[in-house]
Structures are given as C-alpha cells and as structure tokens.
Amino acid sequence: MKTNKIIALAGAILALCACGKQELPYDLEGTEHGVVLNIRKVAGTSTTLATDLSGTYKVAISVAEQQGDMSMFKEAQLMAVYTDGTTKAKKGAKIVEGIVDLPATVTIDMNDVCTKLGVTTVSIGDRIEFTPCVTLKSGTQIDGWSALTGFNNVAFVSWQQADGPLTYRVAYTAFAPFQQAKFQGPAVAYTWEYKTYAGAGTCSVTQLDMTDPDNMPPAEYIPAGVTATDLVGLVLAGPFWFETADEAIKMWINTQDFTLIIPDQVMAPSYDYGGMGDDGKIGNAEDCEGEVDTLNNTLTFLFYPTFGPGYWWGAAVVVVVTFV
C-alpha cells in the first residue's frame, strides 16, 4: 500500500497590474486557439470488432460544446490506432482526411482500415480505436494519437455534452465471451500506479441488482441506446488510494462495447488528509474512465483523486483488477 503521497495543490493565478495594464503570467497573444472534437459510435451500428471484419461501423464527429474556435479550424481527419491483443504493441494511421464540415458522420470500411494499418488478421483481444485529428489554419497539426505521447485530449473526458461526457476516442475490440459470474468476489487482486509509485492489494467486488432503478448510473453518463439490461453494476470496496475503511468506487460495465461507466463520485467519505479538517475531508474520484478485457478477465480504470474544496494530486491513478 502506498506510503508516500505527493500533492499538487491548486495555486491562485495572480493578476498583476502596472500602469493600468494587466500583466499575465503567460503570453496571451502567443497562445494558439484550437478545437476540441468529440467522437461517438453511431447508434444502431456495430459496437465491437468482428475477427472477420464484418459489421457496420460508423462514427459521428462534432465540435465539443463551447470548446471550439472554428475561426482557426481548417480540416479534421480520422485516425485509427491498432493494439495487438497479445503483445500490446500499437500503431496508427490516418484513414480519412479532408473533413471540413462538422458535425460529420463517417462510415468506416474495416478492411480498408486494416490495409492502411498493415494488419493482415484480427484475433480475439485485438483492438482498433478511432480518434479525431485537427489541422488549424495556422498549419498546426493536432493529432489524436501519437506513438510517443499516446492519446490526446484525455483531460476532457468528464466534460458533459448534450449526449453525454465528451469522448476523445471510440474503441472496437474483438472480445472473448463475457463471463459475468467471474466479475465478483470477496478478495479480488488489484494493482495501482501513480506516476512513479505503485502498489497492490485486494478488494471486495459485488454486483448490483440492475432490476432496481436506483442502481442505474446517473442519466448523463449513460450512452445513447444503452439500457439496464446492457449494464453490469459493480461496487469495488478498497482501500485503493485514500486508505480509509469506507473507501469504495461504483462503476458499470457497458456490455455493448465493454467500456466502464464511472461517474465522478465520493470514494472515501471519512478521508481527512493530514488532519486538515474540512479542508482535507472527503476523497473523490473524478474524470474517470475504463474498460474490460474479457479475454483476461480484468478491469482497467483510471481516476483523478481530489479532496476537500479544490485540492487534487494532478495525475491519474491507474488501477487493474484481475478476476480468476
């Protein structure tokens, strides 16, 4: 279990005034405006990846509400990112270019995608993700993924849109059969990582009765077309991070595409960092996301820990829960 915690505390931004002119701690004129794009699977189309590449695949790309300076926008592209289910090696390629009108619906030819990626066969566990890229009128290229930095715009995942939280990518995975009965137990092993720190432990995992409407996630977190019968609700009781006896996190497996729905929530109601009283109480999980590996029966999810009124650690905790 973790013995050291590093806190990145929010600092106040100082507005310095000199001779009636506001001085900012950054070059405002040199700041380049951009566009944050949202991507969704189109309802009624395939949600998982068939190993024979059959199916109908469509995605919708739009500008995130209040997050797009369209005067700077030139065009968008759609990038595919392939992950080998065995080696976890990744590679990417742009498969559609010249998207100039938004919102846009893109029909995906998986055979063409695999050709451009250099993928000859798709096996159980393999994944193909799609993420939007942007070219600005200035010539700046903002790719949705790179081999060096991974996916872009991850920090925006909790921003609410009219049809749910913003998503920077959609994933199609060739899944093994889902064994729901395995995803529970009194002592389930997990590991966690935070920056250069890591740890391990066990937690209890119980499944929620999804016939009870009170066990549904908040409506704003439910993707379009997903119903209670598509969801497997889980309560994981730790401790994971805050190390309190009452620590727990609630999430739902979306069996349409085996992503995890994890609302912002209180994880540790009795948490009190360093005896700070009201300023240090309540450990929260925010900006969460995750996915299910049905081949290896694991949950992988991340959350940003916060506590009290406006304090956070500044980096994500990544948790892997393994069911045997």
Side-chain angles (χ1 to χ4, degrees):
M1 185 57 62
K2 163 176 55 62
T3 58
N4 295 300
K5 296 178 179 176
I6 297 179
I7 303 178
L9 298 179
I13 297 176
L14 300 178
L16 302 178
C17 297
C19 300
K21 181 180 179 181
Q22 186 182 44
E23 299 291 339
L24 297 175
Y26 52 86
D27 178 13
L28 182 60
E29 292 184 358
T31 300
E32 186 161 36
H33 295 192
V35 178
V36 177
L37 297 184
N38 188 26
I39 187 169
R40 295 269 194 269
K41 295 177 183 177
V42 174
T45 61
S46 300
T47 58
T48 60
L49 180 63
T51 55
D52 63 359
L53 304 182
S54 62
T56 302
Y57 303 92
K58 291 183 180 182
V59 297
I61 301 172
S62 60
V63 180
E65 185 177 353
Q66 298 181 345
Q67 300 303 324
D69 184 351
M70 294 304 292
S71 68
M72 304 295 293
F73 175 80
K74 181 179 180 181
E75 73 165 54
Q77 306 90 33
L78 185 64
M79 175 179 282
V81 181
Y82 168 78
T83 303
D84 185 290
T86 301
T87 67
K88 305 305 178 185
K90 295 179 180 287
K91 54 184 175 180
K94 290 188 177 122
I95 54 103
V96 177
E97 301 194 47
I99 303 171
V100 295
D101 294 320
L102 295 173
T105 298
V106 179
T107 299
I108 297 170
D109 181 339
M110 280 296 185
N111 286 284
D112 178 63
V113 170
C114 287
T115 298
K116 290 177 177 175
L117 287 168
V119 174
T120 55
T121 59
V122 172
S123 303
I124 294 294
D126 291 355
R127 172 181 301 161
I128 299 178
E129 295 163 283
F130 295 92
T131 186
C133 309
V134 174
T135 303
L136 302 180
K137 288 180 181 177
S138 64
T140 298
Q141 179 65 35
I142 306 169
D143 285 340
W145 177 87
S146 75
L148 180 63
T149 60
F151 283 99
N152 193 10
N153 290 336
V154 176
F156 299 113
V157 294
S158 68
W159 292 11
Q160 289 296 323
Q161 304 296 299
D163 57 349
L166 183 144
T167 53
Y168 60 92
R169 51 134 191 195
V170 293
Y172 296 90
T173 303
F175 288 105
F178 176 53
Q179 303 179 65
Q180 179 176 338
K182 279 186 172 290
F183 286 77
Q184 58 188 325
V188 181
Y190 72 86
T191 61
W192 63 263
E193 293 182 2
Y194 171 78
K195 292 186 177 179
T196 59
Y197 299 91
T202 61
C203 63
S204 67
V205 181
T206 56
Q207 294 189 9
L208 298 172
D209 177 9
M210 295 310 300
T211 63
D212 184 346
D214 291 338
N215 287 333
M216 289 289 287
E220 63 269 24
Y221 287 90
I222 304 174
V226 174
T227 66
T229 58
D230 300 313
L231 300 176
V232 177
L234 304 175
V235 178
L236 284 64
F240 288 109
W241 176 259
F242 296 101
E243 300 177 353
T244 63
D246 58 356
E247 187 171 353
I249 187 167
K250 187 180 292 187
M251 63 189 65
W252 288 261
I253 299 172
N254 176 5
T255 60
Q256 284 196 7
D257 60 4
F258 295 100
T259 54
L260 291 174
I261 298 171
I262 314 175
D264 292 354
Q265 60 191 276
V266 174
M267 275 183 68
S270 65
Y271 180 70
D272 185 357
Y273 180 79
M276 292 175 64
D278 289 342
D279 284 343
K281 286 184 177 178
I282 305 179
N284 301 312
E286 297 183 357
D287 299 350
C288 317
E289 66 169 30
E291 56 200 14
V292 182
D293 181 341
T294 60
L295 182 61
N296 298 299
N297 294 320
T298 62
L299 305 176
T300 301
F301 65 93
L302 63 82
F303 65 90
Y304 287 82
T306 72
F307 68 91
Y311 296 96
W312 68 91
W313 274 270
V317 179
V318 180
V319 182
V320 180
V321 184
T322 303
F323 300 84
V324 296

